[in-house]
Amino acid sequence: MFLPLQIHLTLPPWIGEVVDDSRRYASDEERVGLAIALSSRNIDSGPGGPFGAAVFNADGRVVSVGVNRVVPQTCSVAHAEMMAYMIAQQRLASFRINAGGGRYTLATSAQPCCQCFGATVWAGVDELLIGARAEDVEELTEFDEGPLPADWVGELARRGIAVRRDILRDQARAVLAAYGARGASY
């Protein structure tokens, strides 16, 4: 029996149509807005879930992005945040994004699930910007976001990760509602 020795995950080819890697995304709203645009395009373009994320450096430049690729990649860890973290780590050649200095931010269209929360603890970001809340995800779709610590924001803060929530929440909720209305789930 032959066991595979590598895994290969990819983002969809349309990413370059949504992301302007020469642009400076200066505000929290611009950063989360990009994550929401990615989430919306992901559901319009195929079998991906309604989630988008992006890692930014201190200057507001995109380091990496991610969209939900669980179904097309047949990989349960291919969540938007996980994809953005893995690509940033590979691009920066460091398992901790901020290990080489500088501050990094993850902007996400929706609050990280329990898996992505755990990755956030170790990924090496300094800020987490969130559009929709977990309760929005569960209300508007059939996703189960899993258990989080009661004080998950405090847990991240104790590890030096600032959290800001409800950024463009209504826009993020609209994408979740559109996805939920399709009856699509996995």
Side-chain angles (χ1 to χ4, degrees):
M1 182 160 129
F2 174 74
L3 295 175
L5 300 179
Q6 70 178 21
I7 186 166
H8 184 75
L9 298 174
T10 61
L11 292 175
W14 52 259
I15 291 290
E17 298 169 18
V18 177
V19 180
D20 180 354
D21 64 355
S22 68
R23 177 180 167 193
R24 182 174 176 263
Y25 294 80
S27 70
D28 293 353
E29 290 76 16
E30 289 175 300
R31 294 174 188 190
V32 173
L34 176 60
I36 294 168
L38 289 164
S39 69
S40 180
R41 180 69 182 265
N42 202 45
I43 63 172
D44 290 341
S45 297
F51 305 102
V55 173
F56 298 90
N57 67 18
D59 294 330
R61 305 277 183 199
V62 174
V63 175
S64 67
V65 299
V67 293
N68 182 283
R69 300 287 287 163
V70 170
V71 171
Q73 301 282 273
T74 60
C75 181
S76 65
V77 300
H79 289 196
E81 298 91 339
M82 302 294 283
M83 296 293 288
Y85 285 149
M86 290 185 286
I87 293 167
Q89 290 162 341
Q90 186 174 51
R91 183 173 183 190
L92 298 171
S94 177
F95 63 89
R96 287 196 53 85
I97 295 167
N98 59 6
R103 294 184 55 78
Y104 292 86
T105 299
L106 177 78
T108 184
S109 62
Q111 179 180 319
C113 68
C114 61
Q115 170 182 260
C116 297
F117 166 80
T120 298
V121 169
W122 304 116
V125 293
D126 305 286
E127 294 179 299
L128 174 60
L129 308 176
I130 301 169
R133 293 181 176 221
E135 54 262 34
D136 299 331
V137 174
E138 291 183 346
E139 171 194 340
L140 298 169
T141 72
E142 295 182 16
F143 291 107
D144 175 0
E145 294 298 275
L148 289 175
D151 183 22
W152 64 271
V153 173
E155 290 294 335
L156 292 176
R158 282 186 280 288
R159 289 164 171 84
I161 303 167
V163 177
R164 287 192 289 290
R165 299 167 48 172
D166 300 334
I167 301 166
L168 304 177
R169 184 177 180 190
D170 290 341
Q171 290 178 27
R173 283 179 52 87
V175 175
L176 294 169
Y179 180 84
R182 293 178 185 184
S185 68
Y186 59 85

